[in-house]
Amino acid sequence: MRRDLIEQFVIPVCTNVLLGRNDVAHETQPVNAQEWEEVCYFASLHGLMPVMMNYLQSIHLNDEKCTAVLINWFGNSFQQEQTTEVMAVVARKLAIIMQKAELDVMFLKGLSLAQNYPSPKMRMSADIDFYLFGKTEEGLKALEAAGICSDDAWDYHVHAEMNGARLELHKMFIDVDRIGSNREVERALVQLAKEEGKSCRCEWMGASVTNAYRMSPTMNAIFLMRHIGIHFVSEAVSLRMLYDWGLFLQHEGKDVDWNKVVALYEQVGMMDFARRIQSLVIDKLGMPVADCSPLKPLDDKQTMLTWESILSLCENSVGQRSNLKAGLMRRYEMLRGKWKFKMVYPKDSFWKTYCYLAFRGIRTYNRSKR
């Protein structure tokens, strides 16, 4: 699709909506049905269609074909918003199950980050991620007692399904087996969970839910940036992830202990990557967050390569292939993206990680054949 439609229409519209600005009209915009289709598809692929909806509902098109395209996307976006609402309800039910079992629960990523959006429905989530402060086995028993079965217990998180929503119970915050430096990040997050993990309640769940928490600002500053890096290397980074970071800084940046965060960034080698993400959020998205953290934007060749990689995000069709073909494709993509690995994990061995993941893929394939 036309590059100018992304950078001069989609992004400005989303930024203005998320910042609550009224100046959402733009000279550059789609002129025919095909371009409107491409714009909506791009926004949906990046998890931004519910954000775009706020603008699209306010415009009037004379072209019937263009109008038909938007009506179709209105329906898709409405379904996404309903899914988001259902997941919030399921998360509350999950918290109540854990409360009855006398367990505290920390909700990660989507549900918590959605509270920084003008409306939580604007922030799509694929699943419900949560952490039980080290009491994974007790949590699994509580889920089983409620009739909820789980799988993938060998991984660093356990998957389950509840009322149609996908659950991810994190035994650890991140995978420490895959990347050596992740051990330092995990250690810092676990320590912070002990010190301040119950300082931020999930108020949106109501006063009767007293055991539900979200990450503290300092925890989120570490976790979110590492999460962006993990996706950048292994899958893809969407614009929604960049907006997550920008909105987080706007709402909670002042409450972050940046001395701890910066020290850890430097310890594991993620400072330059964080500065590049900061540069993109400020310069490309137009988010006014320069004064919300001590991270100085880094605008260099690799920053632009990162931006190009984000904009070239395409559908991940790996799930439509066999496990063997999917594994081979992931390893091929990892070889092509070696530069990404060295950017995010400069203190880790690419080939050690590559061989580990190749072996892990074989194990997963053999396991699925049983």
Side-chain angles (χ1 to χ4, degrees), residues 215-251:
M215 280 186 162
S216 69
T218 303
M219 290 185 72
N220 247 335
I222 295 171
F223 181 81
L224 285 181
M225 189 55 67
R226 196 57 160 185
H227 181 66
I228 293 173
I230 290 171
H231 273 268
F232 184 64
V233 172
S234 63
E235 299 174 23
V237 170
S238 65
L239 290 176
R240 187 199 64 199
M241 292 183 182
L242 298 190
Y243 278 117
D244 281 346
W245 178 254
L247 291 172
F248 162 72
L249 289 182
Q250 275 206 317
H251 287 82

Side-chain angles (χ1 to χ4, degrees), residues 105-366:
V105 55
M106 177 187 289
F107 288 97
L108 318 176
K109 296 188 287 188
L111 284 174
S112 298
L113 296 174
Q115 309 309 310
N116 293 329
Y117 282 64
S119 168
K121 293 189 295 185
M122 290 184 185
R123 207 287 183 183
M124 295 171 52
S125 296
D127 43 40
I128 300 172
D129 295 83
F130 62 104
Y131 175 74
L132 296 176
F133 296 89
K135 296 187 177 182
T136 302
E137 294 303 320
E138 295 90 332
L140 289 174
K141 290 179 181 179
L143 289 176
E144 185 177 353
I148 302 168
C149 298
S150 59
D151 58 17
D152 292 344
W154 59 276
D155 204 353
Y156 79 99
H157 48 37
V158 183
H159 294 128
E161 187 172 303
M162 178 179 176
N163 297 127
R166 183 176 173 84
L167 307 180
E168 279 197 2
L169 167 54
H170 283 245
K171 293 189 284 187
M172 295 175 286
F173 290 104
I174 54 178
D175 189 347
V176 300
D177 294 330
R178 190 176 308 182
I179 304 295
S181 60
N182 275 355
R183 296 188 183 94
E184 296 301 320
V185 178
E186 176 71 15
R187 190 175 296 116
L189 289 172
V190 170
Q191 183 60 36
L192 285 168
K194 293 177 180 178
E195 296 173 355
E196 52 193 54
K198 299 177 185 178
S199 60
C200 301
R201 284 191 59 246
C202 296
E203 298 88 355
W204 62 88
M205 291 192 176
S208 61
V209 180
T210 60
N211 66 322
Y213 304 91
R214 58 184 175 84
M215 280 186 162
S216 69
T218 303
M219 290 185 72
N220 247 335
I222 295 171
F223 181 81
L224 285 181
M225 189 55 67
R226 196 57 160 185
H227 181 66
I228 293 173
I230 290 171
H231 273 268
F232 184 64
V233 172
S234 63
E235 299 174 23
V237 170
S238 65
L239 290 176
R240 187 199 64 199
M241 292 183 182
L242 298 190
Y243 278 117
D244 281 346
W245 178 254
L247 291 172
F248 162 72
L249 289 182
Q250 275 206 317
H251 287 82
E252 302 184 66
K254 64 181 182 304
D255 299 319
V256 174
D257 186 338
W258 287 107
N259 289 329
K260 288 183 179 180
V261 173
V262 168
L264 183 66
Y265 281 4
E266 293 177 342
Q267 180 183 353
V268 300
M270 58 191 288
M271 176 57 80
D272 283 351
F273 179 73
R275 292 177 59 199
R276 291 186 176 102
I277 294 299
Q278 186 79 343
S279 178
L280 296 180
V281 169
I282 294 172
D283 297 333
K284 298 298 184 181
L285 300 190
M287 300 287 286
V289 296
D291 298 329
C292 297
S293 80
L295 299 178
K296 296 181 179 179
L298 177 59
D299 186 7
D300 61 4
K301 181 179 180 180
Q302 285 193 306
T303 302
M304 293 311 301
L305 286 174
T306 301
W307 180 242
E308 294 297 329
S309 176
I310 293 172
L311 292 190
S312 64
L313 171 68
C314 61
E315 274 192 308
N316 184 359
S317 58
V318 169
Q320 300 173 359
R321 304 186 178 104
S322 68
N323 286 337
L324 178 60
K325 289 183 178 179
L328 291 174
M329 182 58 68
R330 288 194 181 98
R331 300 295 77 79
Y332 170 69
E333 291 297 334
M334 187 174 177
L335 283 173
R336 288 183 58 196
K338 183 179 178 181
W339 65 275
K340 295 182 179 181
F341 184 96
K342 299 308 297 180
M343 182 193 297
V344 177
Y345 309 118
K347 296 189 177 183
D348 292 280
S349 167
F350 172 82
W351 291 111
K352 181 179 179 180
T353 303
Y354 185 87
C355 292
Y356 166 80
L357 290 176
F359 173 76
R360 180 168 168 169
I362 294 173
R363 182 177 66 172
T364 302
Y365 174 66
N366 290 332

Side-chain angles (χ1 to χ4, degrees), residues 69-80:
V69 169
L70 293 190
I71 289 175
N72 179 59
W73 281 101
F74 286 163
N76 291 337
S77 183
F78 179 70
Q79 289 179 341
Q80 292 171 355

